[in-house]
Amino acid sequence: MSDLDHTAALMLASPLLRGKVALASANPTGRYDAYPEEAEALKNAVDKRLRAFSAGRAAARLALKELGAPAIAIPMGEDRAPIWPPMLVGSITHTDTACLAAVGWEGEIRLLGLDLEPDQPLDDDLLPTICTEAERQWLAEQENPGQSAKLIFSIKECVYKAQYRLSQTLFDFDTLEIAVDLENQSFVAHFRQDVAPFASGDAISGRYAIGHGLIVTTVMELV
């Protein structure tokens, strides 16, 4: 991993979110100033958390500028989710060495999700928590099951972020079941139970990319 990971992350994610979405990156190993409304949520944060949060907000403001929106504060809600300005939809993600943010107009984008993870195997002891039985069966057939499990984890994080603005509901990993299309680097996530406004069986599709030691997963559904 290097201090150029944020650039690599942007290169990976950009082809996945072309069109209605503005995308930007920032380096969480650097220093950025959080706006006062944002800093309120970080009064007791350790330096690493403060850097990641501030870099994520800096990336978001770069994306807002690219979209033609004002670069204003993006506070953190009580649920720890970003509070986006009215009429905007967004998603922020980070690792220790890279931050990405994507934004779009609410009238054009229904769902927007973004997740970034190090391309490292998922710990075996997390598999029962993260993956359903069907997913574990699929993993057993993969050449690198640990990496594939990390991909499923990232997809579920991405889909959760995308759907949360509509459902405002917390749920466990097994609420979603993922089908991965390795050839097309895409996926479909099915709800295994009702999470209003989503019903059991509803699907959310997305795309992913792996490279430079990173996994990027994305959801973009137009209105």
Side-chain angles (χ1 to χ4, degrees):
M1 308 294 264
S2 74
D3 59 2
L4 295 178
D5 280 354
H6 67 291
T7 302
L10 186 63
M11 290 173 58
L12 285 171
S14 292
L16 308 179
L17 290 173
R18 285 177 176 160
K20 301 288 187 180
V21 170
L23 183 70
S25 68
N27 183 357
T29 64
R31 288 198 175 275
Y32 303 87
D33 292 327
Y35 283 20
E37 304 95 311
E38 299 165 348
E40 179 66 23
L42 301 172
K43 288 185 293 187
N44 301 314
V46 298
D47 185 66
K48 181 179 177 181
R49 167 64 175 153
L50 180 61
R51 284 174 182 259
F53 180 95
S54 300
R57 265 45 184 189
R61 278 186 271 280
L62 288 172
L64 287 170
K65 182 178 180 180
E66 181 182 331
L67 191 68
I72 61 177
I74 307 166
M76 183 172 71
E78 292 184 3
D79 56 5
R80 300 178 64 83
I83 301 175
W84 293 96
M87 303 303 295
L88 289 165
V89 180
S91 188
I92 299 172
T93 185
H94 64 82
T95 67
D96 290 346
T97 57
C99 287
L100 289 174
V103 295
W105 296 108
E106 190 176 48
E108 298 177 336
I109 305 294
R110 179 174 181 260
L111 298 176
L112 181 60
L114 184 64
D115 190 67
L116 180 65
E117 303 289 338
D119 183 15
Q120 300 169 351
L122 187 74
D123 291 342
D124 288 342
D125 59 359
L126 293 177
L127 282 175
T129 301
I130 305 300
C131 298
T132 66
E133 182 177 351
E135 290 165 349
R136 293 198 296 272
Q137 290 175 359
W138 176 77
L139 290 172
E141 301 170 356
Q142 304 311 305
E143 182 177 351
N144 189 336
Q147 181 198 54
S148 297
K150 192 63 165 287
L151 174 61
I152 287 179
F153 170 79
S154 182
I155 290 170
K156 291 192 177 187
E157 287 285 309
C158 175
V159 172
Y160 173 82
K161 293 176 186 179
Q163 65 80 43
Y164 187 76
R165 65 175 292 269
L166 298 184
S167 75
Q168 297 289 298
T169 301
L170 301 171
F171 54 69
D172 294 330
F173 286 99
D174 62 1
T175 301
L176 298 171
E177 191 156 78
I178 310 303
V180 180
D181 183 338
L182 296 173
E183 182 177 354
N184 294 304
Q185 291 190 293
S186 63
F187 61 84
V188 179
H190 288 95
F191 284 87
R192 303 176 71 211
Q193 62 191 53
D194 294 346
V195 182
F198 303 96
S200 178
D202 282 356
I204 295 176
S205 301
R207 302 173 66 196
Y208 71 89
I210 300 175
H212 305 282
L214 297 167
I215 298 172
V216 179
T217 53
T218 63
V219 165
M220 182 180 69
E221 183 178 309
L222 302 180
V223 171

